[in-house]
Amino acid sequence: MKTVDFGYERVSPAEKTARVRDVFDSVAGDYDLMNDLMSGGLHRLWKRFALAQTGLRPGQRALDVASGTGDIGAGLARQVGSSGLAVLTDINHEMLSRGRDRLIDHGLAQVQFLIANAECLPFADRSFDCVTIAFGLRNVTDKAAALASMRRVLRPAGRLLVLEFSKPTLGMLKPAYDAYSFNVLPWLGGIIAGDAASYRYLAESIRMHPDQQTLATMFRDAGFDECRWHNLAGGIVALHVGVVH
Ligand SMILES: C[S@@+](CC[C@H](N)C(=O)[O-])C[C@H]1O[C@@H](n2cnc3c(N)ncnc32)[C@H](O)[C@@H]1O
């Protein structure tokens, strides 16, 4: 039987999808607070950096995949403006409904929300100028299928931005980073969200995610003509930018 990783465990693809859904059902209520606490607010800078690379102009069409509570989607909506379109998608209703509430609270009305799996996006070929996925690809069961699906919906000269945890490039960071990930994160998750296990999964899933070069190769395999990446925080996070000609 085919198996895939769920953190450090090997499980069937169906079980991974179900358990990822359980993780985000469980963490949705405390997701934004936990992001700020876990990263010391750095996730805001990483997302701002990603948004600066979209190349979007007013009137264009943008898709955010695995939008969750909508940080990136809100930025895309501002970039394309009221003459454009931003579409926010996620497989998880709990997460996306929080995103929808936040965008409405911010007065961002020219936005569509859709429950969708990144592996099989329900949009026509070549429908978006930019597609983004932030801290989502790691959780997708079939990453190659998701990359191919995001590639398919991009217009010529469109960009895919993947913001994701990656491999620290500074060896001296590793012991402190490991200690933080495997001790502090589950402890914080336990006291703030009452769910240490989901935050242990977070640390494990980061370690199992492809490194910078491997992910760039996956972009090529999915049909991107170019892929470059930017390391952020010494490679703890990387932004991959794929371009189709
Ligand atoms: C860590 S959150 C990231 C949310 C948001 N993009 C951010 O940066 O704050 C990961 C999101 O990926 C979503 N997700 C997981 N698997 C997915 C899939 N196959 N298709 C679409 N979304 C998925 C989860 O439901 C969750 O909302």
Side-chain angles (χ1 to χ4, degrees), residues 144-227:
L147 288 170
S149 183
M150 294 188 283
R151 157 79 183 78
R152 182 183 63 73
V153 301
L154 270 176
R155 288 179 174 159
R159 289 181 197 176
L160 169 66
L161 307 187
V162 176
L163 184 65
E164 189 52 272
F165 292 104
S166 200
K167 294 288 174 285
T169 49
L170 301 171
M172 62 192 190
L173 269 182
K174 198 173 174 307
Y177 181 50
D178 281 348
Y180 179 76
S181 309
F182 289 104
N183 300 308
V184 180
L185 290 188
W187 172 78
L188 256 183
I191 55 168
I192 303 289
D195 180 3
S198 290
Y199 289 89
R200 199 165 300 114
Y201 161 74
L202 167 70
E204 293 180 2
S205 65
I206 291 170
R207 299 310 185 283
M208 299 306 290
H209 191 63
D211 63 23
Q212 287 86 334
Q213 181 59 62
T214 307
L215 183 56
T217 303
M218 291 171 72
F219 268 65
R220 295 266 180 193
D221 293 345
F224 285 89
D225 299 297
E226 287 174 34
C227 178

Side-chain angles (χ1 to χ4, degrees), residues 54-66:
T54 63
L56 283 167
R57 296 186 303 277
Q60 291 191 313
R61 294 167 58 96
L63 170 67
D64 187 37
V65 177

Side-chain angles (χ1 to χ4, degrees), residues 35-85:
N35 264 356
D36 278 335
L37 291 176
M38 288 186 305
S39 72
L42 277 176
H43 76 105
R44 294 169 184 261
L45 299 182
W46 298 331
K47 288 169 178 167
R48 202 176 297 164
F49 180 80
L51 283 165
Q53 316 300 317
T54 63
L56 283 167
R57 296 186 303 277
Q60 291 191 313
R61 294 167 58 96
L63 170 67
D64 187 37
V65 177
S67 301
T69 54
D71 283 348
I72 294 282
L76 297 180
R78 291 192 178 97
Q79 290 182 346
V80 299
S82 56
S83 57
L85 176 68

Side-chain angles (χ1 to χ4, degrees), residues 5-8 16 20 23-24 138-140 196-206:
D5 58 82
F6 175 80
Y8 288 168
K16 171 162 180 166
V20 167
V23 164
F24 288 102
R138 193 182 73 243
N139 300 292
V140 172
S198 290
Y199 289 89
R200 199 165 300 114
Y201 161 74
L202 167 70
E204 293 180 2
S205 65
I206 291 170

Side-chain angles (χ1 to χ4, degrees), residues 20 24 31 47 66-68 90-92 95 116-118 134-135 139-140:
V20 167
F24 288 102
Y31 181 79
K47 288 169 178 167
S67 301
D90 199 289
I91 203 169
N92 185 297
M95 292 290 285
N117 187 340
F135 304 109
N139 300 292
V140 172

